[in-house]
Amino acid sequence: ACFRLLSLLLIPALFLSGILCLCLFVLLWGIRLWIQQRKKQLASLGTDGKQPLTVAFFHPCCNAGGGGERVLWCAIRTLQKKYKNITCVVYTGDRDVTGEDIIAGALRRFNIKLSHPVKFVFLEKRYLVEAALYPYFTLLGQSLGSVLLGWEALLKCIPDVYIDSMGYAFTLPLFKYMGGCRVGCYVHYPTISTDMLSVVRNQDTRFNNAAFITNSPLVSKFKLVYYYLFAFLYGLVGSCSDVVMVNSSWTLNHILSLWRAAACTSVVYPPCDVQTFLDIPLEEEKSITKFSIVSVSQFRPEKDHPLQIRAFAKLLEKRRLVQQPPLKLILIGGCRNQQDEERVNKLRRLCEELGVAEHVVFRINIPFEELKQHLAEATIGLHTMWNEHFGIGVVECMAAGTVILAHNSGGPKLDIVVPYEGCITGFLAEDEDSYAETMARILSLSPEKRLEIRENARQSVHRFSDRHFEETFLLSVEPLFK
């Protein structure tokens, strides 16, 4: 009787599910046809009588001044050089500026001048992808928000080629299947990674895994299930991409394990302005009256400035035992908002607690020329972020002629601070003790040995230049233009 009842209920349920799926398919297909018709109506011919190819970049924060924005403008400049009959479009949420202001900012910040105009599509719903809107389930909230923001973008401009340059993978199937576009992406950092899964699984307390979660086995298991489900969805949407570019070997390994699209995935190192730093004269230290250690990174929690200060305090303790030249730690970085400023105040208090305040200098939002001057005078370049996806700051320190000391993980370990023609280019460390010991070791080297390491590092960074980016970028995106 129970089996008969189940069968009587199951058959109608399956039939209803089939009808609903069919209706959904017809609805989506109808939307796609409507979008294609709208695209034909909006199409216009170029000056040569041919319809230009529209290439759109999804970059809601294109007026920011970070490494991701440098990739965007270098990519557009590269395409404009190679392909004459294209129109480049940027979807942006920067509605407080004009398109002319954005282009002027790219020239001022990155010295990038475009050969042709860019069309800007200003989006009104950028707030949907801001983390502050989702205090809980942030990854899922931002990803679903990006779909809604992508829908606004698609309705305002339907491109032929769509490239997500800011990590919103959930927009890829929208533009591919609804917009009928060829789609590509440049991944700076995977939205979720196997490392994030291991942090939750091992109940490690980090900036993105609060103590109240790690202290509760039940909550940790719930978050782990949520992460696994999200990783599955992330893999599905990412695999829709026709071309996948990643910024480092570390990112490549995570994207391959999640998206499983090895055939269309390649490493395209971000373009670093190495020439500007290579112009700094590289000379042997003539007389050592003082040393400086310079850190260049935004004041964000993942950059782990407390590790730098604690390691520096241990280094000073070691050096107090013997007479040594004076030593300064110079923390250079950008403050974006009130939260960043509060973070800096906490770091200042930490310096006071450890008794090193007089040896630590904070330089916030400084001009580029002052940054160059600090790097030119520094002995050590310091970087402490765990699993940094690439590390543009590490490259810049090496190009400027500092002896780099970076975290033994991520991009610095796999791509940047690696031997060049069999010669050492810098150093890696993992915790307070190893950072302090390695800094002491670098300072104890002879000036000649330090100069040799600096020269090796400089030679190695040419593979991160604008020219190398252009070559690898064009090779990667070629399938989108066939």
Side-chain angles (χ1 to χ4, degrees), residues 186-251:
Y186 188 95
V187 184
H188 297 275
Y189 197 90
T191 304
I192 192 167
S193 67
T194 51
D195 288 328
M196 291 168 68
L197 291 169
S198 67
V199 164
V200 178
R201 190 187 306 113
N202 298 331
Q203 294 181 247
D204 292 338
T205 302
R206 292 186 180 269
F207 74 92
N208 58 353
N209 196 41
F212 82 88
I213 294 175
T214 60
N215 293 335
S216 170
L218 182 62
V219 176
S220 289
K221 284 184 173 59
F222 178 78
K223 184 172 183 178
L224 187 61
V225 170
Y226 159 56
Y227 267 21
Y228 271 114
L229 289 173
F230 183 84
F232 173 73
L233 291 174
Y234 184 59
L236 283 181
V237 298
S239 62
C240 296
S241 190
D242 300 308
V243 165
V244 181
M245 294 167 281
V246 297
N247 66 344
S248 69
S249 300
W250 180 85
T251 307

Side-chain angles (χ1 to χ4, degrees), residues 272-284:
C272 305
D273 192 13
V274 295
Q275 192 55 54
T276 301
F277 294 97
L278 290 172
D279 290 339
I280 298 173
L282 189 62
E283 300 173 354
E284 185 178 323

Side-chain angles (χ1 to χ4, degrees), residues 418-423:
V418 295
Y420 176 73
E421 296 183 352
C423 299

Side-chain angles (χ1 to χ4, degrees), residues 162-468:
Y162 170 81
I163 299 175
D164 164 44
S165 52
M166 225 179 140
Y168 294 112
F170 281 71
T171 63
L172 295 170
L174 176 68
F175 277 83
K176 182 169 185 174
Y177 299 117
M178 292 291 98
C181 311
R182 283 160 278 172
V183 300
C185 59
Y186 188 95
V187 184
H188 297 275
Y189 197 90
T191 304
I192 192 167
S193 67
T194 51
D195 288 328
M196 291 168 68
L197 291 169
S198 67
V199 164
V200 178
R201 190 187 306 113
N202 298 331
Q203 294 181 247
D204 292 338
T205 302
R206 292 186 180 269
F207 74 92
N208 58 353
N209 196 41
F212 82 88
I213 294 175
T214 60
N215 293 335
S216 170
L218 182 62
V219 176
S220 289
K221 284 184 173 59
F222 178 78
K223 184 172 183 178
L224 187 61
V225 170
Y226 159 56
Y227 267 21
Y228 271 114
L229 289 173
F230 183 84
F232 173 73
L233 291 174
Y234 184 59
L236 283 181
V237 298
S239 62
C240 296
S241 190
D242 300 308
V243 165
V244 181
M245 294 167 281
V246 297
N247 66 344
S248 69
S249 300
W250 180 85
T251 307
L252 174 70
N253 294 335
H254 287 286
I255 289 298
L256 288 180
S257 68
L258 292 166
W259 292 12
R260 304 188 186 282
C264 62
T265 304
S266 57
V267 176
V268 179
Y269 291 128
C272 305
D273 192 13
V274 295
Q275 192 55 54
T276 301
F277 294 97
L278 290 172
D279 290 339
I280 298 173
L282 189 62
E283 300 173 354
E284 185 178 323
E285 305 155 15
K286 295 180 175 63
S287 61
I288 302 171
T289 56
K290 62 178 182 177
F291 288 120
S292 68
I293 300 168
V294 171
S295 162
V296 183
S297 58
Q298 288 185 316
F299 289 101
R300 299 205 302 258
E302 65 269 23
K303 299 299 182 181
D304 206 351
H305 288 90
L307 172 57
Q308 298 179 5
I309 294 169
R310 291 191 181 98
F312 181 70
K314 289 191 174 184
L315 173 64
L316 286 182
E317 191 62 37
K318 291 175 184 286
R319 291 170 63 82
R320 286 193 183 106
L321 302 177
V322 291
Q323 190 66 30
Q324 297 279 7
L327 184 60
K328 287 279 186 186
L329 172 62
I330 304 172
L331 301 178
I332 301 173
C335 276
R336 304 161 298 172
N337 49 41
Q338 185 66 33
Q339 285 181 319
D340 287 355
E341 291 172 8
E342 289 171 3
R343 204 167 286 120
V344 170
N345 290 333
K346 286 182 181 178
L347 294 174
R348 292 185 193 275
R349 289 196 292 271
L350 178 62
C351 292
E352 295 283 353
E353 291 169 14
L354 297 175
V356 297
E358 63 183 87
H359 299 278
V360 180
V361 178
F362 289 84
R363 303 296 297 136
I364 300 165
N365 297 331
I366 62 173
F368 184 70
E369 287 304 314
E370 186 180 340
L371 166 66
K372 280 180 66 176
Q373 187 62 35
H374 281 299
L375 287 175
E377 296 171 355
T379 303
I380 297 174
L382 191 61
H383 192 272
T384 48
M385 179 177 169
W386 171 74
N387 271 343
E388 171 75 85
H389 48 295
F390 178 69
I392 289 177
V394 176
V395 173
E396 290 175 346
C397 284
M398 293 168 71
T402 69
V403 179
I404 192 67
L405 173 56
H407 199 281
N408 189 27
S409 63
K413 176 184 179 180
L414 298 175
D415 294 303
I416 304 174
V417 191
V418 295
Y420 176 73
E421 296 183 352
C423 299
I424 187 172
T425 58
F427 299 86
L428 299 168
E430 294 182 3
D431 53 26
E432 293 172 27
D433 290 330
S434 60
Y435 267 99
E437 290 166 8
T438 309
M439 284 189 283
R441 178 184 167 195
I442 294 169
L443 296 174
S444 69
L445 295 173
S446 67
E448 295 80 14
K449 183 61 180 176
R450 278 198 295 268
L451 179 62
E452 180 186 325
I453 295 170
R454 293 158 68 203
E455 287 174 339
N456 293 337
R458 277 197 155 188
Q459 290 294 321
S460 73
V461 299
H462 285 288
R463 60 209 164 97
F464 307 121
S465 65
D466 286 3
R467 182 178 176 182
H468 189 264

